[in-house]
Amino acid sequence: MIKKLIVMGMVCLVSTSFYAQKKFNINLSKKDTEVSPIVKEKVEEYATKINAIIQEEKKMMGEELEVLKSRNLDTADFNREKAQIADRYSEKMDKRIEDLGFDLDEVIQKQVRYSLLNTDVNSNEELKAKLLKKFRPTRNLTGYFSYGVMTLTNNLPDNELDKNIGYANNLEFGLKLNYQLSRTSPWAVISGLGFSWRTIRMDNNMLFTKGPEYGVALEQYNGNLSKNKLRTGYIMVPLGMQYNFSKLKNGGMDIQYRNYYRGFKVGANVYGGVKMTTNNIVKGNEGEIRNKGNYQVNPFVYGAQLTFSYNSISVFVKKDFSNFFKDNYFKNDKALIFGVSIGIE
C-alpha cells in the first residue's frame, strides 16, 4: 500500500513538472538525456488518469465523512470509523489505478531506445535499422598534426653534409582518410593529404650556397650565425593499411561493432610527395637573408612509414627511399624521421 502511494506521488510530481516546465530529463548517463516524446505523452496521460481517480474518490470519501460527522459520535468511535472509510477508499483507488494497466517496462524500454538513438522506434526491425546506421563502418576524413626529429642516412663515406649537419626536423599537418572495411573489421585503408616542412640546420658555422658553376655546396660563414635553415615544403599523399586491436562491442540487437578510434592500432603505409618550395634562411652579422630558389633538393620524395597508435596519439618512424638532394649532390643521403602525431577526430 505504502509503495503504491509513493509511486503514485512520484507520478503526480512528474505530471506537475510536465505542466509547469514542459520538459523532463531522465539521467541515463553522465549527461542529461531528453525524454522521448512518446514516453512523455504516456506518463502525462497516466498521471492525468491517476489525478482524476484521486479527485473522484476524494470527493466521495469527503461526502461519507460529512455524514459521519453528523452522527455526533464520541472521539474514539469517530476515529475508528474514519480510519475504516480511509482504508476502504485507499484500496478502491489502488484497484482502479491497477486496472489502468500502465506498462512501466514498456515505457522504460522506449526511453532507453530514445536515449540511444535520439528518436522513437515502434518495432524491432526499425530499431535494428537505426542501430545498423549508428554503428556503421567508419569512413571519413579527420585532421592530424605531427612533429618529428629528422636525420640523414648514408651508406657511403661521410660527405660535407654528414659531417656538419645539426638539428633537423619535420613538421606536418593535414587530413587523414579513414576507410574501415566493415563494421566489425579490424582492418582499415588509410590515405589522405598532408603538408610537410622539412628543415635542415647546419653546425660549425656552415651554410648552404649555390652558384651556376657548382650548383649547391656548403660554405664557411665569416662571422657568427644565429640562424641557419634550409627548409623545403612538400605536398604528401600516403596510402596504406591499419589494424585495430580493440575488442568487438555489442550495440544491441546482436549488432557488433569495433570502435575505429579507440584502442591500440598499428599502421603501415607508403607515401609520395611533390615539392612546393625551398627557402634558405640565414641570419648572421650581416643581417638576415631569405633566398628561395633551386638548392637541388629533390622535387619528389617517396618512402614508407610505420605507425603505432593508442586512441588519437601516435608515434611513427618514416624512411625515405629517395635521396634528399637530386642528381649527385650529397649523394645517397636519405631522410629518416622519428615523430609523434596527434589525431583530430
Side-chain angles (χ1 to χ4, degrees):
M1 173 63 187
I2 294 176
K3 181 179 178 181
K4 291 182 178 179
L5 288 175
I6 292 174
V7 172
M8 189 166 59
M10 290 176 65
V11 172
C12 290
L13 181 63
V14 169
S15 177
T16 302
S17 175
F18 280 141
Y19 290 123
Q21 302 178 16
K22 299 300 181 183
K23 184 177 181 181
F24 176 58
N25 286 335
I26 296 177
N27 191 9
L28 296 178
S29 63
K30 292 183 179 180
K31 295 182 179 179
D32 290 336
T33 304
E34 187 178 346
V35 169
S36 157
I38 290 181
V39 170
K40 180 179 178 180
E41 181 182 353
K42 284 184 174 293
V43 174
E44 283 183 335
E45 180 183 353
Y46 185 56
T48 301
K49 290 179 179 179
I50 288 178
N51 186 59
I53 291 173
I54 292 173
Q55 296 305 318
E56 290 174 6
E57 299 297 332
K58 182 179 178 181
K59 180 180 179 181
M60 289 187 289
M61 186 176 71
E63 292 173 353
E64 284 200 32
L65 290 176
E66 289 298 324
V67 173
L68 181 64
K69 288 179 182 179
S70 66
R71 293 169 57 187
N72 295 321
L73 299 175
D74 59 48
T75 302
D77 290 339
F78 177 81
N79 288 337
R80 184 180 65 256
E81 292 199 31
K82 179 181 177 181
Q84 291 174 353
I85 292 172
D87 288 342
R88 177 158 45 85
Y89 275 94
S90 176
E91 292 177 1
K92 187 178 178 183
M93 281 190 288
D94 287 346
K95 179 64 170 58
R96 290 185 64 183
I97 291 172
E98 186 177 345
D99 290 343
L100 292 176
F102 184 74
D103 192 341
L104 183 60
D105 291 338
E106 180 186 356
V107 171
I108 291 175
Q109 186 180 34
K110 285 183 177 295
Q111 179 59 41
V112 169
R113 291 179 177 180
Y114 186 83
S115 300
L116 286 173
L117 302 172
N118 294 322
T119 185
D120 287 307
V121 289
N122 298 315
S123 67
N124 288 337
E125 291 75 14
E126 187 179 356
L127 173 60
K128 189 168 185 177
K130 295 286 186 181
L131 289 172
L132 286 172
K133 182 177 180 181
K134 180 177 181 179
F135 298 113
R136 60 184 180 271
T138 298
R139 292 167 184 176
N140 59 14
L141 288 171
T142 55
Y144 74 91
F145 171 85
S146 73
Y147 184 85
V149 177
M150 183 174 69
T151 186
L152 298 180
T153 65
N154 196 330
N155 59 2
L156 300 177
D158 286 348
N159 55 42
E160 287 299 307
L161 177 59
D162 301 330
K163 294 175 183 177
N164 293 286
I165 191 170
Y167 180 71
N169 68 278
N170 178 69
L171 176 68
E172 187 171 329
F173 69 87
L175 295 174
K176 178 185 176 185
L177 171 65
N178 312 284
Y179 191 93
Q180 189 178 13
L181 297 186
S182 70
R183 187 178 61 255
T184 58
S185 176
W187 290 100
V189 176
I190 53 176
S191 187
L193 180 68
F195 298 90
S196 170
W197 284 268
R198 299 179 170 194
T199 303
I200 297 177
R201 297 169 181 84
M202 303 308 299
D203 283 341
N204 305 320
N205 233 31
M206 303 292 286
L207 54 81
F208 285 97
T209 61
K210 63 176 182 173
E213 66 281 357
Y214 58 83
V216 64
L218 290 176
E219 182 179 289
Q220 190 82 34
Y221 182 75
N222 295 322
N224 294 317
L225 283 174
S226 59
K227 186 182 294 185
N228 178 11
K229 304 176 182 178
L230 183 68
R231 177 174 293 156
T232 304
Y234 288 93
I235 298 175
M236 308 291 287
V237 177
L239 179 62
M241 297 293 293
Q242 178 177 279
Y243 187 89
N244 191 330
F245 289 88
S246 64
K247 295 181 179 179
L248 288 174
K249 293 186 177 182
N250 191 348
M253 300 289 290
D254 296 324
I255 295 173
Q256 291 186 312
Y257 70 98
R258 193 183 306 273
N259 192 322
Y260 177 87
Y261 296 110
R262 295 294 174 261
F264 179 68
K265 304 177 283 292
V266 175
N269 63 271
V270 294
Y271 59 84
V274 178
K275 187 176 72 171
M276 296 183 291
T277 183
T278 297
N279 194 3
N280 190 24
I281 306 169
V282 178
K283 184 177 181 180
N285 302 88
E286 300 176 358
E288 181 173 319
I289 300 173
R290 293 174 178 263
N291 191 352
K292 294 183 179 181
N294 182 13
Y295 281 84
Q296 305 302 326
V297 178
N298 204 328
F300 304 101
V301 295
Y302 57 92
Q305 178 174 329
L306 182 63
T307 305
F308 301 92
S309 307
Y310 185 77
N311 294 345
S312 60
I313 306 297
S314 304
V315 294
F316 64 86
V317 57
K318 180 182 293 190
K319 180 69 171 68
D320 282 1
F321 299 148
S322 56
N323 293 337
F324 196 90
F325 292 87
K326 66 179 181 178
D327 300 330
N328 290 320
Y329 294 98
F330 308 111
K331 190 175 180 180
N332 213 34
D333 273 324
K334 296 177 172 62
L336 177 64
I337 303 168
F338 298 89
V340 177
S341 177
I342 299 175
I344 305 171
E345 300 170 6

